[in-house]
């Protein structure tokens, strides 16, 4: 082998190694940018819902402590980015690295598209034909966000707009886009009951008036069918709308709250801005709470304490219920108090096991209905 051939082989190998190293760096940078796009926090529209109210049909009804199964996250299949690898002719003595720079993939537009898709998925999930009465408005000319009202109604209303770029987004007071189409939905039921015919008619009149003012065409679902669905949905929700209460009652002297505070610190119960103690998940969602049994603010002492668990609004399942039961028993032992239900009956292991069985049945009903406890749908319906 001549020196020229040996030199050509070495040069070709160096070029191949450089190309592979360059593409590895490009792929690494792509992944970093994609991760940043996926990690961006989206606004939690559920935090803007009205304060909870007790459903009239379930008012005053409590079961013993309970909790719900953890909803398994849906993991979307991810594909590794396919990068174009420049072809290198090993017979050439010189490679033009300027050509490699020209082959750099356009990462920023891809990351931006991912972000827009995430925003659209979040927006479109705010309306559900099984939970909402949805009116579709089609405009002849795009309508500015400032001219889109929120359509005040007795139930939750959500408005989505289709931008000129073809993306759906939530329309609120901070929106600045223009929309060629709108979806306005009013919720069928919540803890105040089902949507009534009068409430639905008032909502439809507002939407129709808006459409007429903007020379737009509006289509509505069949009203009688939606009203029937609203009543049926409300009946189902009332059947599983359970608030569990476990009470620790003083036998003689009131409980010293300083002792309760120390217990709370040791068991992961943190006092919130509302003055109550809450046990939260890793994501910060309240799983159950500790309140004064007579619903008064905490003072220096207490005649009785109550652990509250709002079954349909909490994700966590039976393991959370087991943990709640354990903490309640520990507090009762620490304070030498009685662990009882709302009727004053002792909560023995058999009683707690019976509550656990009832919880299993409630969770099964909600799963069959496709409304997982603690899910977006549950938080909307039980608000």
């Amino acid at each position: 082998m001549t020196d020229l051939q040996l030199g050509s082989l070495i040069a070709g190998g160096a070029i191949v190694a450089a190309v592979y190293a360059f593409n590895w760096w490009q792929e690494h940078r792509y992944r970093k940018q994609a991760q940043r796009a996926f990690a961006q926090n989206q606004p939690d529209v559920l935090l803007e819902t009205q304060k909870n109210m007790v459903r009239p049909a379930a008012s005053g009804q409590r079961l013993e402590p309970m909790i719900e199964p953890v909803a398994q996250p849906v993991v979307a299949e991810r594909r590794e980015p396919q990068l174009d690898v420049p072809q290198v002719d090993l017979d050439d003595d010189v490679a033009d690295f300027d050509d490699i720079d020209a082959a750099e993939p356009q990462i920023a537009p891809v990351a931006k598209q991912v972000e827009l898709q995430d925003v659209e998925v979040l927006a479109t999930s705010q309306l559900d034909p099984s939970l909402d009465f949805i009116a579709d408005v089609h405009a002849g000319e795009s309508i500015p966000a400032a001219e889109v009202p929120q359509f005040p109604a007795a139930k939750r209303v959500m408005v989505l707009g289709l931008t000129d770029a073809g993306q759906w987004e939530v329309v609120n007071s901070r929106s600045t886009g223009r929309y060629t189409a709108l979806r306005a939905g009013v919720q069928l039921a919540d803890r105040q009951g089902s949507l009534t015919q009068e409430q639905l008619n008032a909502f439809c009149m507002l939407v129709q008036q808006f459409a007429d003012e903007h020379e737009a065409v509006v289509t509505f679902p069949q009203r009688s069918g939606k009203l029937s669905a609203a009543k049926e949905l409300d009946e189902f929700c009332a059947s599983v709308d359970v608030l569990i209460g476990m009470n620790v009652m003083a036998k003689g002297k009131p409980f010293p709250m300083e002792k309760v505070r120390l217990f709370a610190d040791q068991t992961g119960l943190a006092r919130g801005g509302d003055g109550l103690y809450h046990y939260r998940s890793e994501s910060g969602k309240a799983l159950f709470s500790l309140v004064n049994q007579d619903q008064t603010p905490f003072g220096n002492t207490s005649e009785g304490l109550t652990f509250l668990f709002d079954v349909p609004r909490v994700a966590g399942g039976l393991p959370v219920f087991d943990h709640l039961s354990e903490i309640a028993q520990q507090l009762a032992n620490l304070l030498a108090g009685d662990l009882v239900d709302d009727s004053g009956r002792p909560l023995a292991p058999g009683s707690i096991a019976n509550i656990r069985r009832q919880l299993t049945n409630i969770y099964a009903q909600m799963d069959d209905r496709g409304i997982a406890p603690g899910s977006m749908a549950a938080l909307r319906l039980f608000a």
Side-chain angles (χ1 to χ4, degrees):
M1 178 180 295
T2 66
D3 291 342
L4 177 60
Q5 291 174 324
L6 180 60
S8 299
L9 184 59
I10 294 174
I15 292 171
V16 171
V19 170
Y20 275 99
F22 177 82
N23 281 299
W24 176 89
W25 175 77
Q26 289 284 57
E27 182 176 353
H28 175 74
R29 190 174 70 168
Y30 179 91
R31 288 179 177 174
K32 286 291 185 183
Q33 294 194 18
Q35 287 172 358
R36 286 196 296 270
F38 279 109
Q40 289 182 349
N41 291 328
Q42 300 294 345
D44 188 350
V45 297
L46 295 176
L47 295 180
E48 300 176 1
T49 56
Q50 296 180 355
K51 186 177 180 180
N52 287 356
M53 297 186 65
V54 177
R55 184 184 301 276
S59 179
Q61 295 185 3
R62 273 207 210 153
L63 250 166
E64 291 347 355
M66 40 170 89
I67 300 176
E68 59 208 318
V70 178
Q72 296 298 321
V74 178
V75 180
E77 180 181 354
R78 297 181 61 181
R79 296 182 179 179
E80 294 299 324
Q82 301 298 317
L83 301 180
D84 294 331
V85 180
Q87 300 298 317
V88 178
D89 189 348
L90 296 182
D91 292 332
D92 292 339
D93 292 338
V94 180
D96 187 352
F97 282 92
D98 290 338
D99 293 339
I100 297 178
D101 291 336
E104 179 178 341
Q106 298 299 312
I107 295 176
V110 174
K112 183 66 175 177
Q113 173 132 9
V114 169
E115 179 183 348
L116 292 174
Q117 289 174 348
D118 287 349
V119 171
E120 183 171 45
V121 169
L122 179 65
T124 54
S125 67
Q126 304 306 309
L127 288 178
D128 184 337
S130 67
L131 306 179
D132 303 290
F133 178 95
I134 304 173
D136 289 300
V137 179
H138 299 277
E141 296 183 0
S142 58
I143 302 173
E147 297 180 14
V148 180
Q150 292 303 301
F151 305 109
K155 304 295 182 188
R156 169 190 182 270
V157 171
M158 180 62 63
V159 181
L160 305 182
L162 183 64
T163 66
D164 292 331
Q167 297 282 337
W168 286 99
E169 66 179 28
V170 174
V171 182
N172 53 39
S173 58
R174 299 181 298 275
S175 300
T176 59
R178 299 180 66 91
Y179 309 109
T180 58
L182 295 164
R183 291 176 184 165
V186 59
Q187 192 163 303
L188 297 178
D190 55 24
R191 273 180 164 162
Q192 298 179 19
S194 63
L195 184 69
T196 66
Q197 182 172 350
E198 291 75 15
Q199 293 169 346
L200 179 57
N201 289 342
F203 171 77
C204 291
M205 287 180 62
L206 289 175
V207 177
Q208 184 66 64
Q209 181 180 358
F210 166 78
D212 292 343
E213 291 173 353
H214 291 81
E215 298 182 352
V217 177
V218 59
T219 57
F220 299 101
Q222 208 265 339
R223 298 191 196 185
S224 61
K226 281 293 186 178
L227 288 172
S228 297
K231 292 180 180 178
E232 192 274 334
L233 178 61
D234 181 58
E235 290 173 358
F236 167 78
C237 291
S239 70
V240 297
D241 196 355
V242 174
L243 179 66
I244 292 177
M246 298 183 79
N247 307 289
V248 179
M249 304 302 297
K251 295 180 181 179
K253 295 182 180 180
F255 299 138
M257 285 305 298
E258 178 61 22
K259 204 169 186 179
V260 175
R261 184 187 67 77
L262 292 174
F263 174 83
D265 291 341
Q266 295 170 358
T267 55
L269 285 159
R271 195 162 188 178
D274 55 4
L276 307 179
Y277 289 96
H278 303 284
Y279 187 86
R280 299 183 181 276
S281 65
E282 292 183 358
S283 63
K285 303 295 184 181
L287 300 179
F288 53 84
S289 304
L290 179 65
V291 304
N292 246 337
Q293 197 268 341
D294 59 5
Q295 303 297 313
T296 60
F298 287 124
N300 295 326
T301 61
S302 176
E303 297 287 345
L305 301 164
T306 299
F307 286 93
L308 291 177
F309 173 63
D310 195 345
V311 176
R313 287 185 59 86
V314 176
L318 296 175
V320 182
F321 170 73
D322 294 339
H323 188 58
L324 166 61
S325 303
E326 180 181 355
I327 287 182
Q329 186 62 66
Q330 289 176 358
L331 183 59
N333 293 340
L334 174 68
L335 300 176
D338 292 325
L339 184 62
V340 300
D341 63 15
D342 286 340
S343 299
R345 294 171 296 191
L347 281 173
S351 302
I352 294 176
N354 181 55
I355 295 170
R356 201 176 192 276
R357 286 191 291 270
Q358 295 180 60
L359 277 180
T360 301
N361 181 54
I362 290 175
Y363 295 145
Q365 292 180 56
M366 295 188 71
D367 286 341
D368 290 344
R369 182 81 186 205
I371 303 172
S375 65
M376 180 181 291
L379 294 177
R380 289 175 52 190
L381 292 170
F382 298 95

